[in-house]
Amino acid sequence: MKAIRRFTVRPVLPEPLRPLSDLARNLRWSWHNETQQLFQAADPEGWRPADADPVRLLGAVSAARLGELAGDQHFMRRLTEVSEDLREYLGGPRWYQDQLSQGAELPAAIAYFSPEFGVTAALPQYSGGLGILAGDHLKAASDLGVPLIGVGLLYRHGYFRQSLSRDGWQQEHYPVLDPNELPLTLLREADGTPSRVVLALPGGRSLYASVWQAQVGRVPLLLLDSDVEENAPGERDVTDRLYGGGSDHRLLQEMLLGIGGVRAVRTYCRLTGHAAPEVFHTNEGHAGFLGLERIRELSETGLDFDAALETVRAGTVFTTHTPVPAGIDRFERQLVARHFGDDGELPGVAVERILRLGMETYPGGEPDLFNMAVMGLRLAQRANGVSTLHGSVSREMFSGLWPGFDPSEVPITSVTNGVHAPTWVAPEVLRLGAGTFGSERAENALAGADVGGGTSTDAGTAGAPRRWDAVARVPDRDIWELRRGLREQLVTEVRKRLYASWRRRGAGTAELGWIDDVLDPDVLTIGFARRVPSYKRLTLMLHDRDRLRELLLHPTRPVQIVVAGKAHPADDGGKRLVQELVRFADDPRVRHRIVFLPDYGMGMAQKLYPGCDVWLNNPLRPLEACGTSGMKAALNGCLNLSVRDGWWDEWFEPDFGWAIPTADGSATDEERRDELEAGALYALLEDRVAPRFYDRNAEDLPERWIEMVRRTLVTLGPKVLAGRMVREYVERLYAPAALSRRALEPAAARALASWKTRIRAAWPQVAVDHVEATADTVVGGSAELGSTLALRVRIALGGLDPEDVEVQVVAGRVDSGDAIAEAQTFPLKPAGGHDLEGRWLYEGPLALDRTGPYGYTVRVLPSHPLLASGAELGLVAVPSASTGDGGGVLLRSHPPPPRGARRAPRAGPASVRRPTGNRQGCFRPDLATMAPLPVWPRGHRRDSEASCGREWRSAR
């Protein structure tokens, strides 16, 4: 019989045990070993580390047991110590407060929006890397004392639980989550009634949401929940599932996250006195509507749309996580338009202005679609990718939003992701570190403080640790015994999970005896676990199955592989990949050497990363934005074997891992690429990885392998920390954003908006009319290294003033097509007033500081002290074809040296080359002699080359 209503009966703790409730409801327990040990002592039978949940545990402990604990002096002493430690953690000064005390100008608070958060398995509100990263961001911010407020949605079904059918097909299950049984507190008004956030929907309907609060150490996490009685059935289901439903459903989720999230933050700050955020961080485009709500707020204070937009942009940071356009949410413009305006949300804000923010105005864009990432970029003055390579890919992918600029100048930077070490480092590894250089130093190391290798910015920020050199003191034997012990724990965990999986697949107990021999704690163990989109190539290892079997069954150097991962419920292609892997692993010949574990999540991962010797990652480069699973493995002494994508591309060194060669040339088709890269993977395992693992010295230790483990911890350890990442965000993005926001008081915002309008109107008349260069030392037509060009440029400003622009010379080495690489920019200064035609003269030197093919061009950019970069407006003026054909890019030399003086030999007659891209009017000295050659802009006729050369020579 089914209950007609469900509710939760909370335990009543004896007064001495009341601190247990505070400890259970602050998610710091999920990364604090002493708190976990306290709860385990409270109920040793009920505590399961893989899916630990203190709230649920306390609800299951009997009254008799609670009475025993209240009278247990040893337990009560431990409870007092752990409670006092939490109190000090929450209230004491940390890194952020130290920075403030030293005079740093930092934001009073930051609001961090994300569609998912992976904080702990006890709060299953995540699907993969984006959510885990968001959870680690909150935890690291808490450890550093950063005043962050997290904002997300509470999904009543979370993400799905995965199981397998008998034939290996993925099956999804959606358990119902009761917020009252989770480590959450309902946000209430002063009179005790639940706080509500309300959004207006078309047709006079409303979407209501309650606000639940999770406490992540010092950081509040606000989760909006539409399953409230005021809503109609359709609206109640808005927050039913993570990444579920059709376009209308997803749009409502993202409106609730962005617009409702801002309103939830305002309510929370009003009720608690928390400082109002000065900076809003949008973690991916799903929360992009938060900028529109803030524009509405400012509009109600009297600011017009343009001034409000400038104010919002100044205080917004946008992080993109996808390297492919297909990973971006896009909606039909008509669908978006229906939900805004007088019959929907944000009345008073022109719908057309909203739609323009998400319009794909670049070549190849679809004007009828509303792009959430494009809106996110237009609403944020600062944006970043999540690894150095991903930053480059993002600049290329979004370069159409900044026409006229090379992708390298697109204002998207990068902050490489990191992982929260206290969450992901095995307790055994922590104990070894504490035993070697003390508990406090080990804890500081994991938070990002120095451990004994000095400090350097190459770990991320000034003051961040460069190396963990203290690890070098750990004896080889201790490292190897640690690694063997972790591998043995993984074997036990795998057998338990594999048995449960087969039972759910319908196998009887009598047919599962073989599981007792699955995996061997002395065999080289490889891990592969992640989501299963096609680009991650779950089945690349199966490309040559006979060769894989030989690796698994090698008589003296066998390998064993543990695989886990979920395909999206709607991705049948991904499910087929899972089934293909499962069927191979079910083969009786190899099933003791390769396993697939269903229902990959945080609990499983915390056993998997430490227990593997090698972490495998083989995505299609460059489609992995960062890929933090390998970072978590590295912190436990696991070596990476990966394609050079994401973070591995920037930090790989052969001292601590292996790079799988890639065949990512445009001429290689997908099938051939898989064949080549799978072959490279097999070869590395056969010739490099396995031999090194099994090569033992006289003490039966693989000393070369152990040295690689040591190098991983010493060199990679401090780089991959979430503490390093959050400090970078604070110093490079949050602090500048806060200063920009403070500078935009209403009058300044109106002035900036008016200035941009004036600049855009005048820009079609801004032009580079004439460029000439004079070389100070020319011998025989050759400019020498160290010589200087004196540049004189005439600029038409179209009615603008010189202070409205910056005139730059852009110089550097050029390729065969005259495109400038490794460009450097140098400002030119106005020399006097304008001429009768309204043109301004700019002058400046250009030092020839490098040999080889060299070129330059001149450009004009808008300039204003409140711009974050010269490319912000996407406006640039460069020399046109008429500049070369008319006044010309005229290169002159000083008079030749006296008769009899030595001349450098000429390499040949001057020639004319056309520049490419926007590098028009490019000057290029000859490769051998550095002889100055004029380069005419695109469109200049080739048949004029000889005459151009004569003009240049006669000018000497």
Side-chain angles (χ1 to χ4, degrees), residues 757-776:
T757 299
R758 181 168 60 86
I759 293 294
R760 291 188 178 104
W763 203 258
Q765 284 72 52
V766 176
V768 180
D769 277 354
H770 183 87
V771 180
E772 67 177 68
T774 305
D776 60 357

Side-chain angles (χ1 to χ4, degrees), residues 430-445 451 473:
L430 289 174
R431 284 196 290 271
L432 180 63
T436 302
F437 41 83
S439 298
E440 184 175 353
R441 296 188 70 203
E443 182 178 340
N444 289 339
V451 177
R473 300 201 302 266

Side-chain angles (χ1 to χ4, degrees), residues 274-488:
H274 193 289
E278 293 185 277
V279 175
F280 286 74
H281 185 172
T282 308
N283 191 40
E284 229 352 309
H286 309 81
F289 289 122
L290 70 87
L292 298 180
E293 168 64 8
R294 291 164 59 217
I295 288 174
R296 182 199 64 79
E297 290 179 330
L298 291 166
S299 298
E300 292 184 351
T301 68
L303 283 183
D304 61 32
F305 184 93
D306 290 324
L309 173 61
E310 295 305 328
T311 306
V312 166
R313 291 186 72 255
T316 303
V317 174
F318 175 76
T319 298
T320 174
H321 287 264
T322 177
V324 291
I328 296 171
D329 274 347
R330 302 156 85 202
F331 299 102
E332 295 288 340
R333 278 170 54 88
Q334 292 181 347
L335 176 63
V336 176
R338 191 166 72 244
H339 282 83
F340 289 95
D342 294 338
D343 190 38
E345 259 303 330
L346 311 185
V349 179
V351 174
E352 190 55 40
R353 298 300 302 269
I354 294 172
L355 295 176
R356 201 176 305 161
L357 289 169
M359 183 181 293
E360 297 179 352
T361 54
Y362 43 82
E366 297 187 40
D368 291 332
L369 292 180
F370 185 92
N371 188 308
M372 294 296 290
V374 167
M375 179 179 67
L377 288 166
R378 286 179 173 147
L379 286 172
Q381 193 175 45
R382 291 165 179 82
N384 69 284
V386 291
S387 69
T388 300
L389 178 60
H390 179 238
S392 177
V393 171
S394 298
R395 287 188 288 275
E396 182 74 42
M397 187 167 76
F398 293 110
S399 60
L401 296 176
W402 289 271
F405 291 89
D406 286 348
S408 61
E409 294 185 289
V410 167
I412 300 176
T413 185
S414 62
V415 176
T416 301
N417 285 342
V419 298
H420 185 243
T423 295
W424 300 109
V425 174
E428 294 80 3
V429 178
L430 289 174
R431 284 196 290 271
L432 180 63
T436 302
F437 41 83
S439 298
E440 184 175 353
R441 296 188 70 203
E443 182 178 340
N444 289 339
L446 297 181
D450 192 19
V451 177
T455 60
S456 170
T457 57
D458 64 5
T461 61
R466 182 181 60 198
R467 294 156 58 89
W468 286 349
D469 284 331
V471 177
R473 300 201 302 266
V474 181
D476 284 5
R477 175 69 63 183
D478 291 355
I479 290 177
W480 188 240
E481 289 180 354
L482 169 68
R483 295 296 315 145
R484 207 271 181 189
L486 294 171
R487 200 182 310 116
E488 190 167 30

